[in-house]
Amino acid sequence: MPQLKKETHTQQSILADYCRNGIFPEGLLDINKDNLHNYRRLCYNIAVDVIETAYPIAFSFLPEETWNKLLSEFYSEHKCQTPQVWRMPLEFYDYCLQKNICEILNFPFLNDLLYFEWLELDVHTMEDIQYPKTKAEGDWLNDKIALNPEHKLIRLSYPVHTTAPTEGLLEKKGDYFLLIYREKDTGNVQFVDLSMFYTYILENLMNGVLLKDILVEANSIFQINDIKLLKDRSLEFIEDLKRRNFVIGFTA
Amino acid sequence: MSEKKYTGIGFRKDFAEELIDSEVLKPSFIELAPENWIGMGGYWKKQLDKAAEKYPVTCHGLSLSIGSPDALDVPFVKQVKKFLDQYKVKVYSEHLSYSKCDNAHLYDLLPIPFRMDAVKHIVARIKQVQDILEQPLVLENVSYYTPVAAEMTEHEFISAIVNESGCNMLLDVNNVYVNAFNHKYDAKNFLSKLPLNKVAYIHMAGHEQVSDTLIIDTHGQAVIDPVFELFEHAIGLVKPVPVLLERDFNIPELEELQGELSRMDSIISKIWKTEHAAA
Ligand SMILES: [Fe+2]
């Protein structure tokens, strides 16, 4: 038998609904009507603050009225699921995807922008991942290359990571690949722009494939027909990632 | 031997680095919201671990929503339990309010109707939480700006919950002050009606008076003198427990925060030492 009476539950629901949608409610019993608005204000401000902090670029780019309407609709329509408010911006991104907000607002790059901004936050805060055991000595082609495990490799349709949404972003629709990783010592998030070829190599390295085997495959896929060039470029790429502390040695 | 210190401070990202190496601010413990740290890695996890190595940690949760009509979020409580174990947290407190309703988190504290059916409902939920945590829940009297559908007084509501559930109480002195002002009752008289023998933890904080008739509990200002006075009165009525200064916004220089801690320390040493001597 539930102990809470239906009427008490309803009172709680009315107040909570008001906090979410801001429409002054009928039916709350024995309240101080002058003070009630503070609950809507306090709840809504928290949600707005968390989202605007997570998505500073989208926030400053979208027209104020559009942005405010979007946030207001989100908080009222969406039932926030996470008990951890700092993770709630991910629900905002999901909401925008599901509601197809980028098409409704006619900002086709909005999904990419929100995704990129979320990932910056996510990679910075994500749970620590155990680093693999490594050794310093080895051969890039024939030994398993060890990578910083705290990373994400993503594909974007608009270069939101290099171009401000104000200009020219629409004309630059294409395939963009981005490595996002967290530096071990500082915890800083770093970004590396990748070509499709380097992305292919990296994806395979992440799956533990040896570089020499990747190159054989790559040769047939990308039809470069210059195995030396392929090898030199790949080794330069690995050396570059080593300087960036993303390649951390060889798997021990 | 130096005197035992009871005062701690909320661990905020705004001054986390400063606090870890601070020669100025010297709390005897730090308080943090588990929700802000569970599952977090990277830079902030390192800061948390450093702070937890230096100071004992108490936890003050945000999203338990003990007064929610919804079913208890058991997986969440289990995550909290794991966190408490990991950082050897002995005090886990929460708010006697609700912040989730009909499957939606609101991220702020709403007032529960002061009603007997709500008491029964919450008592059952407290027991459920305590069974998972294997430690008593410590519940805080919250500030509120309007009652909703009340059928009993605030102190009757709090007392019934504490007495029937066996939970402990977090006495927020500032909230008593704020509510006494907002709802026009006498703070000391209100205190005398609470189950003060169950107080396991105390909060002190600043607030903002926004009109002639309303104070908002902001945690963004210094503690005002009347709240210090009420504190002096209140701690004379309870056994020695940890006392926490809440400062969440508008963070001043650490000297200023230490000044507030020291002022609480000196009141405490006056009151609790004599209490001890008499015991
Ligand atoms: Fe408090």
Side-chain angles (χ1 to χ4, degrees):
Chain A
M1 255 292 277
Q3 274 136 338
L4 198 66
K5 286 183 187 157
K6 195 156 182 276
E7 189 193 57
T8 307
H9 185 157
T10 304
Q11 290 290 303
Q12 294 190 266
S13 300
I14 294 174
L15 177 58
D17 287 348
Y18 168 56
C19 290
R20 288 178 52 210
N21 63 31
I23 301 166
F24 201 88
E26 297 291 324
L28 279 179
L29 302 170
D30 306 323
I31 53 160
N32 179 332
K33 281 195 170 161
D34 293 338
N35 289 351
L36 195 70
H37 70 97
N38 287 292
Y39 283 107
R40 157 68 179 176
R41 179 177 62 82
L42 292 165
C43 288
Y44 189 58
N45 282 355
I46 290 174
V48 167
D49 187 52
V50 168
I51 293 171
E52 290 180 353
T53 307
Y55 301 111
I57 306 173
F59 168 46
S60 64
F61 165 68
L62 285 190
E64 196 179 330
E65 212 175 302
T66 310
W67 176 258
N68 291 345
K69 184 164 176 284
L70 177 58
L71 257 57
S72 160
E73 283 171 359
F74 164 73
Y75 196 59
S76 128
E77 289 171 15
H78 174 73
K79 295 187 168 199
C80 292
Q81 291 300 296
T82 175
Q84 300 183 272
V85 69
W86 56 281
R87 295 187 197 266
M88 182 267 270
L90 176 60
E91 295 181 30
F92 176 72
Y93 166 63
D94 281 339
Y95 170 89
C96 291
L97 280 187
Q98 274 168 26
K99 293 269 167 177
N100 215 0
I101 299 295
C102 71
E103 269 188 33
I104 293 171
L105 299 182
N106 198 22
F107 294 120
F109 49 80
L110 185 65
N111 287 346
D112 273 3
L113 182 57
L114 293 174
Y115 185 44
F116 169 69
E117 293 203 87
W118 167 253
L119 279 182
E120 182 168 7
L121 193 82
D122 187 40
V123 171
H124 188 253
T125 54
M126 68 183 181
E127 220 155 355
D128 294 347
I129 300 173
Q130 177 108 49
Y131 268 61
K133 286 211 171 77
T134 58
K135 55 184 182 186
E137 297 303 311
D139 175 76
W140 292 132
L141 287 167
N142 297 299
D143 289 308
K144 239 188 191 176
I145 297 174
L147 308 173
N148 172 340
E150 294 172 333
H151 68 254
K152 309 250 173 185
L153 187 60
I154 64 163
R155 184 184 154 277
L156 298 168
S157 301
Y158 294 92
V160 290
H161 55 300
T162 54
T163 311
T166 39
E167 272 171 47
L169 201 47
L170 276 181
E171 296 86 68
K172 291 185 179 172
K173 191 172 195 296
D175 285 314
Y176 298 89
F177 300 92
L178 190 60
L179 170 67
I180 310 176
Y181 67 99
R182 185 165 78 197
E183 287 180 339
K184 191 177 188 192
D185 294 336
T186 61
N188 290 342
V189 177
Q190 302 294 353
F191 304 90
V192 186
D193 231 334
L194 300 171
S195 66
M196 195 187 280
F197 173 65
Y198 288 148
T199 305
Y200 174 81
I201 291 186
L202 205 47
E203 256 179 345
N204 279 284
L205 288 179
M206 284 166 183
N207 290 329
V209 184
L210 296 180
L211 185 57
K212 74 167 181 353
D213 298 332
I214 299 171
L215 292 182
V216 172
E217 278 285 306
N219 199 29
S220 65
I221 291 174
F222 292 91
Q223 299 185 338
I224 296 174
N225 295 326
D226 184 344
I227 192 85
K228 179 162 184 319
L229 180 72
L230 205 61
K231 199 175 97 182
D232 290 348
R233 284 282 160 80
S234 305
L235 289 175
E236 276 166 29
F237 175 55
I238 301 292
E239 289 289 349
D240 180 48
L241 290 181
K242 177 121 198 322
R243 277 190 297 276
R244 296 171 185 265
N245 287 325
F246 182 74
V247 164
I248 54 174
F250 301 91
T251 309
Chain B
M1 219 176 83
S2 69
E3 236 175 281
K4 182 169 164 39
K5 287 258 188 85
Y6 293 98
T7 51
I9 193 136
F11 183 62
R12 313 281 323 170
K13 284 180 181 166
D14 313 65
F15 58 85
E17 294 104 325
E18 266 185 284
L19 175 65
I20 289 163
D21 303 312
S22 181
E23 289 299 316
V24 177
L25 186 57
K26 295 187 176 300
S28 60
F29 66 95
I30 54 172
E31 180 195 271
L32 50 91
E35 290 84 352
N36 289 345
W37 301 94
I38 286 173
M40 180 162 296
Y43 176 79
W44 287 114
K45 164 95 162 79
K46 278 187 194 159
Q47 302 303 313
L48 170 64
D49 288 348
K50 274 192 216 165
E53 228 167 74
K54 187 164 173 188
Y55 304 104
V57 175
T58 64
C59 278
H60 186 50
L62 297 168
S63 295
L64 179 66
S65 192
I66 198 70
S68 175
D70 298 12
L72 190 73
D73 185 348
V74 172
F76 168 69
V77 181
K78 287 184 174 167
Q79 280 187 313
V80 171
K81 158 86 172 147
K82 209 174 133 196
F83 186 85
L84 300 181
D85 288 347
Q86 189 184 348
Y87 289 96
K88 301 185 178 58
V89 177
K90 296 207 182 70
V91 181
Y92 169 62
S93 64
E94 254 285 358
H95 304 88
L96 187 49
S97 63
Y98 71 111
S99 56
K100 183 187 182 196
C101 190
D102 304 321
N103 195 29
H105 278 279
L106 298 152
Y107 307 115
D108 207 359
L109 311 171
L110 306 191
I112 305 164
F114 300 149
R115 292 177 156 204
M116 209 47 188
D117 59 318
V119 170
K120 302 278 178 216
H121 171 72
I122 292 168
V123 165
R125 287 163 62 85
I126 293 171
K127 289 179 176 164
Q128 214 185 338
V129 172
Q130 294 187 148
D131 283 349
I132 298 170
L133 297 182
E134 299 176 276
Q135 69 184 65
L137 186 57
V138 185
L139 284 179
E140 170 177 12
N141 59 305
V142 294
S143 15
Y144 61 106
Y145 311 118
T146 171
V148 177
E151 291 176 350
M152 55 173 81
T153 63
E154 183 192 353
H155 67 79
E156 286 168 341
F157 181 70
I158 296 173
S159 302
I161 285 174
V162 172
N163 291 332
E164 289 185 30
S165 71
C167 73
N168 286 332
M169 211 189 141
L170 189 180
L171 177 65
D172 187 311
V173 177
N174 177 59
N175 290 350
V176 173
Y177 180 90
V178 168
N179 290 339
F181 180 90
N182 287 346
H183 308 295
K184 302 183 178 58
Y185 59 67
D186 182 74
K188 288 182 183 171
N189 183 42
F190 174 82
L191 274 176
S192 73
K193 299 204 166 122
L194 292 178
L196 294 176
N197 59 324
K198 300 292 280 184
V199 172
Y201 197 74
I202 290 175
H203 270 177
M204 283 283 280
H207 58 239
E208 189 182 351
Q209 183 166 347
V210 295
S211 76
D212 288 349
T213 54
L214 186 67
I215 295 178
I216 302 281
D217 175 31
T218 52
H219 301 176
Q221 283 82 14
V223 181
I224 62 167
D225 288 346
V227 173
F228 274 112
E229 282 155 29
L230 189 60
F231 173 69
E232 181 159 349
H233 172 79
I235 65 169
L237 305 172
V238 304
K239 63 182 185 298
V241 294
V243 177
L244 187 279
L245 175 65
E246 300 186 282
R247 187 67 182 255
D248 301 337
F249 302 103
N250 211 359
I251 312 278
E253 296 293 316
L254 297 192
E255 282 84 356
E256 201 177 305
L257 292 178
Q258 182 56 48
E260 290 187 281
L261 290 186
S262 301
R263 187 163 168 191
M264 296 194 302
D265 284 332
S266 71
I267 296 171
I268 286 168
S269 64
K270 202 164 68 181
I271 304 291
W272 279 343
K273 215 160 56 181
T274 37
E275 291 292 310
H276 267 179

